[in-house]
Amino acid sequence: MLRYLHVMPFVSAILLTIALTLPAGAADSATADRAGYLALARTGWIYELRAAMTRRDLSIPVHINGRDFAGSALCIVGERPDPQTLATLRGFSALARQVFGRPLPMRYAGPEAQLCGPRRTVVLRLYSGWPPNRALSADLDWLNATYDLGLPRGRDYAATSPGQAQTFFGRRGAATHILVQQGGEGTANDPLARSYFRSILLEEMFQSFTFGMDVLAFHRSPRFLSKLQEVPLNIHRLPWGSAAFMRALLRSNPQRLCAFDVFMMYAVAQAPVDQTTDPAFLDWIETRFDRLDAQARDTLADPRFSEVLDPECRAWSE
């Protein structure tokens, strides 16, 4: 099952995702790293798009470059960030500034997305408990009117997972809406909950700011190469936020961003390409591989980013 698929609601990636199984020892060899990184980059970034939402205005052009949201503001609506959420957001903001050379300003606007204003904004709605589907629909209606997205008017939307991100392309620019569940104050003394809520928020933030796609990995391993990788699961019957649900997701996916993910953030920030979904992006990465790898390694060694980075790229082990 594709969890947290990075979806453009009216333009979605082809659902036939290439499953990537890395050779044993890939994380320990410089040669294997290069091959594994390029394979992951090809699967996670070089994808084709097709129309997915009926009645959407198909005359609106779609342009995908991971740098597009660098320097934009993060507008938080719904619940105020709990301590774990705030720590994750601050860690990711510091990392984004390091990589893109621009700050990621954050502010809490209140209960409604329309309070964010029309500037370059990524809307992050936080909630606990049941998904706020009515508020989600209101957020998307406001984005539709503000950016002229061409979405059907009066449509109701519903959350399909505890964390989801949607990027829209309109006549007045692009906008991203992120909806993520948080645990609240009660997670402070619960390592499982802290890891889980950090993981789902970090995944959506990373994918939203790089346009990377999920990569299916059918071989379960305590060590991965990327936060994009995930073991397919069938957990529809488990309640969101239950201990069983949290453990299942944490075992299928790295808890924090990996060396490859930081590598790709630098690639997205620096590549002189028009779109980061074009094969030319992969060609540029191959020619700059050593430099990007050195930048990623230096960043992973910096203790300022320990909240959001894991050099070992581990899944939950308990």
Side-chain angles (χ1 to χ4, degrees), residues 85-299:
T85 298
L86 191 58
T88 303
L89 291 176
R90 285 174 173 169
F92 186 84
S93 176
L95 176 63
R97 181 164 191 163
Q98 171 75 11
V99 172
F100 290 99
R102 300 181 185 179
L104 175 58
M106 299 183 294
R107 71 182 181 95
Y108 176 74
E112 301 175 2
Q114 65 183 8
L115 299 173
C116 292
R119 60 179 179 168
R120 292 181 64 204
T121 296
V122 173
V123 176
L124 169 62
R125 175 168 290 280
L126 298 172
Y127 73 97
S128 57
W130 294 100
N133 292 330
R134 183 175 297 179
L136 170 62
S137 297
D139 290 351
L140 299 188
D141 283 344
W142 174 75
L143 289 172
N144 192 25
T146 302
Y147 293 93
D148 193 8
L149 303 178
L151 301 179
R153 296 185 180 275
R155 177 167 180 167
D156 293 328
Y157 300 87
T160 57
S161 69
Q164 62 183 54
Q166 301 175 98
T167 294
F168 305 85
F169 301 90
R171 298 190 185 282
R172 292 192 288 269
T176 287
H177 186 279
I178 304 172
L179 178 69
V180 177
Q181 187 183 43
Q182 61 176 358
E185 300 286 343
T187 63
N189 298 316
D190 185 344
L192 173 64
R194 289 202 314 272
S195 296
Y196 169 76
F197 288 112
R198 175 179 55 218
S199 177
I200 62 174
L201 174 59
L202 195 52
E203 181 168 343
E204 301 310 329
M205 293 292 292
F206 172 67
Q207 291 191 285
S208 295
F209 280 85
T210 64
F211 282 92
M213 293 289 294
D214 293 342
V215 177
L216 296 184
F218 291 108
H219 174 65
R220 184 184 297 275
S221 171
R223 292 181 63 184
F224 292 80
L225 281 185
S226 172
K227 192 80 172 79
L228 293 179
Q229 292 176 288
E230 53 186 38
V231 178
L233 297 174
N234 186 359
I235 53 176
H236 291 102
R237 296 183 180 180
L238 296 177
W240 293 0
S242 67
F245 187 93
M246 290 190 286
R247 287 193 183 95
L249 292 191
L250 284 171
R251 287 171 178 163
S252 72
N253 185 264
Q255 296 180 64
R256 294 177 172 92
L257 299 180
C258 308
F260 168 81
D261 303 321
V262 181
F263 175 99
M264 288 304 300
M265 287 183 73
Y266 277 110
V268 164
Q270 299 172 19
V273 296
D274 181 54
Q275 297 196 80
T276 49
T277 55
D278 290 341
F281 181 45
L282 190 65
D283 294 338
W284 183 86
I285 290 173
E286 190 164 12
T287 64
R288 300 296 194 279
F289 188 92
D290 291 338
R291 176 183 175 182
L292 296 170
D293 184 49
Q295 289 177 304
R297 291 179 187 275
D298 287 345
T299 301

Side-chain angles (χ1 to χ4, degrees), residues 66-88:
R67 289 191 307 275
D68 288 347
F69 287 104
S72 59
L74 183 67
C75 183
I76 304 168
V77 298
E79 295 181 353
R80 289 185 177 274
D82 66 26
Q84 174 62 74
T85 298
L86 191 58
T88 303

